[in-house]
Amino acid sequence: MMNDAVFFIVLLILCEIFESWWQHAPTLGGVLEKVRHYYHIDIFVLLLMHPSFWLVLFIFLYQGGRGTLLSLILVMKAADLAFKLWMVRKIDEGALSAEFRGMLSVPLSPWMPWINVVIYPALLAMALTG
């Protein structure tokens, strides 16, 4: 079981690095533009560009669908993806307020796009070893 946990944690780290790499931008608006690009190619391409979601879903099912922390990670990953999709739709509709559009141009901290590489694997480690 410990070998499985280490394997899944390392795999999740690699998935999170990939996601942070392709989404990396100086502002939230830049991140959403990258997401929007893949969304307009095809929604399934965008979903495939989030391998950590699919990995966490697999781990959740592999563990028998039990575990509060695994459920939390899955809900957080799903909410992140749903929020991005919602934001892209609102941008396409032109339904964002001027204040909100202004927030999209605020610079992100250099560590902000990479925090998922630490948080999700740490939560997964706690879920699989606890």
Short mmCIF file of all heavy atoms in Angstrom, two decimals, residues 60 65-72:
data_model
loop_
_atom_site.label_atom_id
_atom_site.label_comp_id
_atom_site.label_asym_id
_atom_site.label_seq_id
_atom_site.Cartn_x
_atom_site.Cartn_y
_atom_site.Cartn_z
N PHE A 60 -9.46 7.94 -6.18
CA PHE A 60 -10.67 7.86 -5.36
C PHE A 60 -11.41 6.54 -5.62
O PHE A 60 -11.81 5.85 -4.68
CB PHE A 60 -11.58 9.05 -5.68
CG PHE A 60 -12.85 9.09 -4.91
CD1 PHE A 60 -12.88 9.45 -3.58
CD2 PHE A 60 -14.06 8.77 -5.54
CE1 PHE A 60 -14.07 9.49 -2.86
CE2 PHE A 60 -15.24 8.81 -4.84
CZ PHE A 60 -15.26 9.16 -3.50
N GLY A 65 -13.79 4.55 -3.24
CA GLY A 65 -14.70 5.67 -3.06
C GLY A 65 -14.89 6.07 -1.62
O GLY A 65 -15.91 6.64 -1.25
N ARG A 66 -13.91 5.80 -0.80
CA ARG A 66 -14.02 6.17 0.61
C ARG A 66 -12.89 7.12 0.98
O ARG A 66 -11.89 7.19 0.31
CB ARG A 66 -13.99 4.93 1.50
CG ARG A 66 -12.78 4.09 1.32
CD ARG A 66 -12.87 2.80 2.14
NE ARG A 66 -12.04 1.76 1.59
CZ ARG A 66 -10.72 1.73 1.69
NH1 ARG A 66 -10.07 2.66 2.31
NH2 ARG A 66 -10.04 0.73 1.17
N GLY A 67 -13.09 7.81 2.02
CA GLY A 67 -12.07 8.73 2.51
C GLY A 67 -12.51 10.16 2.35
O GLY A 67 -12.73 10.63 1.24
N THR A 68 -12.64 10.83 3.48
CA THR A 68 -13.08 12.22 3.48
C THR A 68 -12.09 13.12 2.78
O THR A 68 -12.46 13.98 1.99
CB THR A 68 -13.29 12.69 4.93
OG1 THR A 68 -14.18 11.79 5.58
CG2 THR A 68 -13.86 14.10 4.97
N LEU A 69 -10.80 12.92 3.05
CA LEU A 69 -9.78 13.78 2.45
C LEU A 69 -9.68 13.58 0.94
O LEU A 69 -9.55 14.55 0.19
CB LEU A 69 -8.43 13.52 3.12
CG LEU A 69 -7.40 14.63 3.07
CD1 LEU A 69 -8.00 15.99 3.44
CD2 LEU A 69 -6.24 14.32 3.98
N LEU A 70 -9.79 12.34 0.49
CA LEU A 70 -9.82 12.08 -0.96
C LEU A 70 -11.03 12.73 -1.60
O LEU A 70 -10.93 13.30 -2.69
CB LEU A 70 -9.83 10.58 -1.24
CG LEU A 70 -8.48 9.91 -1.45
CD1 LEU A 70 -8.65 8.42 -1.60
CD2 LEU A 70 -7.74 10.50 -2.61
N SER A 71 -12.16 12.66 -0.93
CA SER A 71 -13.36 13.32 -1.44
C SER A 71 -13.17 14.82 -1.53
O SER A 71 -13.57 15.46 -2.50
CB SER A 71 -14.57 13.02 -0.54
OG SER A 71 -14.81 11.65 -0.47
N LEU A 72 -12.54 15.40 -0.51
CA LEU A 72 -12.27 16.83 -0.50
C LEU A 72 -11.36 17.23 -1.67
O LEU A 72 -11.63 18.22 -2.35
CB LEU A 72 -11.63 17.24 0.82
CG LEU A 72 -11.19 18.70 0.92
CD1 LEU A 72 -12.40 19.62 0.90
CD2 LEU A 72 -10.35 18.92 2.15
#
